[in-house]
Amino acid sequence: MLRQQDVGHRVVVRRIVGVRNDRALYSDALGELVDLTETHLTIATSSGPLSVPLTEVHRAKRVPASRRPTAADVVALELAANEAWPAPDQDRLGDWLLRSAQGWTGRGNSALPVGDPDRPLDAAIDAVRDWYAARGQPAMVNVPLPLAAPVGVALDERGWGARALTLVRTTALPNLLAAAPPRGDLPEPRLESAPSAGWLAVTAGRKGGLPAAAHHLLTAVDRVCFAHLHEDGELVATARGTITGGGRWLGIGLLEVVPAARRRGLAAHTIGALARWAAASGATDAFLQVEERNTPAVTLYGRLGFTTHHTYLTRVAP
């Protein structure tokens, strides 16, 4: 049977659809698991979402992705994501990127091993450790999978640890616009070119402070906006949107809804505002990054049409 950690992955479900001559009739459904509750599971199939009561599930399991993105697709998206989260201190090791941002966030303080490091792999890993040691930081490497699997194997042999698996999820922007249309019963989020003090306070509370490097990461993008959703004068939802990758990609991040305002659709409403902004600017697709174990967020994004493009592991030196 499926578990919460299967949310966000491709699954096959054999369900009971009837009985004939005292024998059960079955039908198989294939798609991405987007929700799993105590009573139902929901999968996004090629013909739309399908909700199945667990009492009708005969068998279910995770299966491999139907089509892996090409190496070029993964590299292009990883570089677009790097543009959207620009560490103030960056260097190159051949094609690899080295990034430092005063320790604020894993993405801003890790090497990105895409392309050729211009030296043997073992020497490249040594150079990564030296670069971070010179900055007084632990060495970390974001390993896109399966693209950089050989890097992961080499790090395993050296005893590097791993943080939670992160899903890089994408959707076509027209699909996102259809899934998150404007709502007349809610105020429209205000989109600003710079974060307000309130927006920064929400993000600092979530991320444990905001060093100077954080302000660079947040704002040093040519096309960036900060969503502020107010109700009765109170800031109840925030998010950040960027357009990178030659104008193709809307990057969505730092989505937050205050606890008292959750479960009312404010997150989807805020994402919809970012999608309309990006579409008006010519973007065609959207991406986000979410930890696999963050089931509520993975479920929300699945309902909005996001599917897993690839994954990555943040590896940490021993």
Side-chain angles (χ1 to χ4, degrees):
M1 183 53 70
L2 300 173
R3 298 172 294 173
Q4 288 296 333
Q5 52 263 51
D6 295 313
V7 172
H9 294 274
R10 191 165 181 253
V11 300
V12 63
V13 176
R14 173 159 292 184
R15 57 196 177 103
I16 302 169
V17 293
V19 177
R20 180 184 297 166
N21 298 328
D22 295 326
R23 298 184 64 180
L25 301 176
Y26 302 102
S27 177
D28 291 343
L30 184 66
E32 183 163 317
L33 182 66
V34 298
D35 197 10
L36 179 62
T37 71
E38 294 181 356
T39 61
H40 287 73
L41 62 80
T42 303
I43 57 176
T45 73
S46 59
S47 52
L50 174 67
S51 180
V52 182
L54 295 185
T55 55
E56 297 178 7
V57 175
H58 175 66
R59 187 175 302 159
K61 65 179 182 179
R62 190 192 295 192
V63 296
S66 58
R67 182 186 70 85
R68 288 182 174 177
T70 66
D73 288 339
V74 174
V75 170
L77 183 48
E78 284 292 328
L79 294 179
N82 181 68
E83 290 178 53
W85 202 247
D89 183 7
Q90 293 201 38
D91 205 348
R92 284 194 173 273
L93 189 69
D95 295 328
W96 288 17
L97 289 173
L98 306 174
R99 308 171 292 189
S100 176
Q102 294 181 277
W104 198 71
T105 76
R107 279 182 289 155
N109 294 273
S110 55
L112 179 61
V114 295
D116 183 1
D118 199 26
R119 66 202 68 198
L121 182 54
D122 283 341
I125 294 171
D126 288 339
V128 168
R129 292 199 65 156
D130 291 344
W131 193 85
Y132 284 100
R135 287 154 178 78
Q137 293 182 227
M140 296 196 296
V141 179
N142 269 14
V143 181
L145 299 170
L147 175 70
V151 177
V153 172
L155 296 177
D156 287 339
E157 293 172 351
R158 289 170 170 246
W160 286 50
R163 294 184 175 178
L165 183 71
T166 296
L167 311 179
V168 181
R169 314 197 80 200
T170 62
T171 188
L173 204 50
N175 295 341
L176 181 55
L177 291 168
R183 284 180 52 178
D185 60 324
L186 292 174
E188 186 69 3
R190 191 179 77 245
L191 304 182
E192 303 286 352
S193 59
S196 68
W199 195 103
L200 291 172
V202 170
T203 301
R206 173 181 177 178
K207 292 290 188 180
L210 292 174
H215 292 271
H216 187 279
L217 280 168
L218 292 171
T219 62
V221 182
D222 288 340
R223 288 189 280 181
V224 61
C225 76
F226 299 86
H228 304 68
L229 178 57
H230 289 86
E231 285 189 323
D232 300 323
E234 297 292 327
L235 184 61
V236 294
T238 56
R240 175 179 178 268
T242 56
I243 298 176
T244 59
R248 174 184 176 182
W249 290 103
L250 162 66
I252 299 169
L254 296 174
L255 177 67
E256 188 73 20
V257 178
V258 299
R262 290 174 184 168
R263 300 187 181 278
R264 295 174 42 219
L266 300 189
H269 183 57
T270 303
I271 289 173
L274 293 177
R276 291 186 287 277
W277 166 77
S281 299
T284 58
D285 298 276
F287 80 91
L288 51 81
Q289 297 161 315
V290 59
E291 285 189 358
E292 179 187 39
R293 63 187 178 185
N294 188 351
T295 301
V298 172
T299 299
L300 166 67
Y301 301 139
R303 288 172 177 165
L304 293 176
F306 284 90
T307 57
T308 300
H309 184 272
H310 65 280
T311 64
Y312 72 76
L313 278 173
T314 299
R315 306 299 303 270
V316 184

